[in-house]
Amino acid sequence: AIKERIARIQPAGITLSGEITMVATAYYAGGGGLNGDGVTATGLRARKGIVAVDPRTIRLGTKVFIEGYGEAIAADTGGWIKGNRIDLCFDSLDECYRYGRRKIYVYLVE
């Protein structure tokens, strides 16, 4: 089943090599202190394409692919991000509200 899902969503130019079922939420770091100062746990500026993970589940620096979100890098952590939870950074609060909370597959990029 994993190989079938990977084959169905395989983007051009990258190779997907594993799948983790996670609960995803969204965050916006540009809110003037709403969610911190906009700097991630790894020192990168929070922006779309940055995700927060539990480093015991996905190592910081790992590239991932999320259907409907795209390729991202695990570069942040969060107080509520434990185990199989992931927080996707978006460019606006409106996008965060539209995304909500959902169960997703996170694919590791080779």
Side-chain angles (χ1 to χ4, degrees):
I2 293 171
K3 287 182 181 181
E4 290 174 12
R5 281 192 292 275
I6 288 175
R8 182 179 51 79
I9 65 153
Q10 179 69 56
I14 63 174
T15 302
L16 305 180
S17 69
E19 173 187 270
I20 303 170
T21 303
M22 303 187 93
V23 173
T25 51
Y27 78 104
Y28 170 61
L34 182 65
N35 281 327
D37 61 6
V39 178
T40 68
T42 59
L44 296 175
R45 177 71 63 203
R47 59 180 165 37
K48 184 157 188 198
I50 298 291
V51 295
V53 297
D54 181 339
R56 295 171 297 180
T57 303
I58 297 177
R59 257 183 340 150
L60 292 176
T62 300
K63 289 184 181 178
V64 297
F65 180 83
I66 300 159
E67 187 174 13
Y69 184 77
E71 197 171 355
I73 186 163
D76 205 1
T77 59
W80 293 98
I81 307 303
K82 304 289 184 217
N84 284 27
R85 295 204 47 190
I86 190 167
D87 213 3
L88 314 180
C89 190
F90 283 91
D91 292 328
S92 72
L93 276 175
D94 190 51
E95 288 176 286
C96 292
Y97 293 135
R98 281 196 311 264
Y99 190 82
R101 179 180 180 200
R102 54 183 88 173
K103 184 177 174 183
I104 64 167
Y105 296 113
V106 175
Y107 299 93
L108 304 178
V109 175
E110 285 187 358

